[in-house]
Amino acid sequence: MENTSWEQKVNALTHILTNPTTTAPPLHSQLFIATQIPCYLHWNYPPLLCHHSAASSPPPLMRWALLQFFKRASRLGLPETSWRSKCPYQLPPPLVLADGLKKAEWGGEERKKYVRERLRRKRLGSNVNPLIPIVVPNLLLLSLLFWDPIPFDHT
């Protein structure tokens, strides 16, 4: 990746952004990316033109296949979601919606209803009594007055 030019990186990035997919990329797309950025193992694109350098390590295509397998196995085969999958009203709409979200409805009343539902949701965070973070540390400090953990008599 370090030996690729900025033009190749921009071409590859433009291609990826203009051709989003949730499944494996088509072959012509994989070949285009392989010609632009040949040795990058953490993409969905196989490193077809990457040269095998060390004799002890597995070939790049094998390492890429193992990385893909472990990524999918860790999600138990479920599709990969991102922050976009939680935003149904974004344009263009996300390819995969997050669990619990409905497809965006673009009528005026539907959007007002969606905003009202979002505003009624409980805020993120924990429901801890605000006295607890104040009282507990103060009680711990007060306990040090009655219990001396480090005695000062060294005789």
Side-chain angles (χ1 to χ4, degrees), residues 80-109:
E80 190 172 9
T81 58
S82 69
W83 64 270
R84 288 194 79 244
S85 58
K86 297 178 178 88
C87 307
Y89 285 97
Q90 184 175 356
L91 285 176
L95 296 171
V96 177
L97 273 177
D99 287 340
L101 285 181
K102 294 178 266 183
K103 192 171 172 101
E105 298 171 0
W106 289 97
E109 289 300 317

Side-chain angles (χ1 to χ4, degrees), residues 67-88:
L67 279 172
Q68 292 297 313
F69 172 75
F70 288 130
K71 270 199 280 188
R72 290 187 183 143
S74 68
R75 291 190 318 262
L76 301 174
L78 297 172
E80 190 172 9
T81 58
S82 69
W83 64 270
R84 288 194 79 244
S85 58
K86 297 178 178 88
C87 307

Side-chain angles (χ1 to χ4, degrees), residues 129-146:
N129 189 331
L131 290 177
I132 292 177
I134 296 169
V135 170
V136 170
N138 285 330
L139 285 176
L140 290 173
L141 287 173
L142 187 64
S143 70
L144 290 177
L145 288 174
F146 298 114

